[in-house]
Amino acid sequence: MSQHHRDHDEHSELSEIELRVRALETVLTEKGYVDPAALDAIVQAYETRIGPHNGARVVAKAWVDADFKRALLADASKAVGTLGHVSRVGDHLIAVENTPERHNMIVCTLCSCYPWEMLGLPPVWYKAAPYRSRAVKDPRGVLADFGVSLPKETEIRVWDSTAETRFLVLPMRPKGTEGWSEEKLAGLVTRDSMIGTGFPRDPGAPS
Ligand code: FE
C-alpha cells in the first residue's frame, strides 16, 4: 500500500480491496443477485475445505503408504477419491513423482488450469504470462527464479495442464523424517512443492 493510502486508512480495519468487495457484495445482495449465505459458503469452502492442505495430505499419505502411492500414481483421481475428506477432484488428475533423476513442474501454457481441488486457488504468478511461456522454454531458469536448483543430471519435465487434465507433483520425501506421522509430514508439504516450483520444507528448520 502506498504512503498516501496508508495515511487515509490509518483508522480503518479494512483494506481498499476489502472495502470494494464489501461494497460489491452489498449491491449484489440488495439487487437480489446473490444470496449472502451462498457467498459465505463459497468463501468458507475456499478457506477451509479447498486448499493446498488437501494436496499436502495426499502427498504425506503417499510418503508413508506404499500401496496408496502406487494407486495414486496409477490413477490419482481414483486414489484421492478413496480419501473421504478431500473434495471431489476432476476426472483426470495425474500425479507425477519427483525422483533424483526427474523433477516435474506444472504449467498451463494456454490459461490457468490448475488442480484447485488439491491446491486451492492458483497463485498470481501461475496465471502470469512470463511463467506460462518460460516454464516450457526455460524451466531451469524459472526454477532458479524460485530459488530451486537441481543437479545438472536431473531431467526437468514440464506438464501442460488442460481443462480436462490436471497434474499434481509428488515431491520427494525430505531426508530426516523417518518415523514421522502423516500429519507431521503434511506440514512440510508446500503448495509450490506440489506445482514443482519449490521443495518441501526443511524438516530441521524451526516451524
Ligand atoms: Fe488453463
Side-chain angles (χ1 to χ4, degrees), residues 5-185:
H5 282 120
R6 199 172 300 131
D7 291 343
H8 284 279
D9 286 351
E10 213 166 30
H11 303 289
S12 171
E13 296 286 312
L14 299 171
S15 71
E16 191 178 348
I17 286 181
E18 284 169 326
L19 286 169
R20 280 166 182 266
V21 168
R22 201 162 275 203
L24 186 62
E25 192 182 329
T26 304
V27 170
L28 292 173
T29 305
E30 279 174 359
K31 293 206 178 278
Y33 292 145
V34 296
D35 171 3
L39 259 190
D40 283 348
I42 293 168
V43 169
Q44 206 200 353
Y46 275 94
E47 283 177 344
T48 56
R49 291 211 316 275
I50 303 166
H53 58 278
N54 284 327
R57 290 169 85 166
V58 169
V59 167
K61 188 168 177 61
W63 283 346
V64 300
D65 181 340
D67 287 338
F68 179 76
K69 179 178 160 181
R70 260 192 298 277
L72 182 72
L73 294 173
D75 185 339
S77 298
K78 199 169 144 194
V80 170
T82 64
L83 308 175
H85 55 73
V86 175
S87 65
R88 195 195 72 83
V89 292
D91 291 337
H92 289 100
L93 179 69
I94 295 173
V96 287
E97 184 187 15
N98 283 351
T99 65
E101 291 74 38
R102 181 190 294 166
H103 181 89
N104 298 284
M105 197 170 133
I106 304 171
V107 68
C108 177
T109 54
L110 273 181
C111 42
S112 57
C113 299
Y114 187 73
W116 56 269
E117 302 93 337
M118 291 287 95
L119 301 185
L121 297 171
V124 170
W125 53 258
Y126 185 85
K127 297 182 278 185
Y131 177 73
R132 285 161 38 207
S133 55
R134 273 186 70 218
V136 174
K137 279 183 289 191
D138 179 22
R140 215 169 274 271
V142 169
L143 287 179
D145 288 348
F146 278 94
V148 170
S149 69
L150 294 163
K152 278 197 310 289
E153 315 78 68
T154 303
E155 176 203 352
I156 301 173
R157 185 168 285 194
V158 179
W159 301 87
D160 198 353
S161 311
T162 66
E164 289 80 34
T165 307
R166 310 294 166 94
F167 297 93
L168 178 76
V169 174
L170 175 58
M172 285 190 280
R173 178 172 175 166
K175 291 190 173 67
T177 57
E178 292 72 20
W180 280 37
S181 70
E182 223 174 286
E183 200 187 340
K184 201 172 166 195
L185 285 168

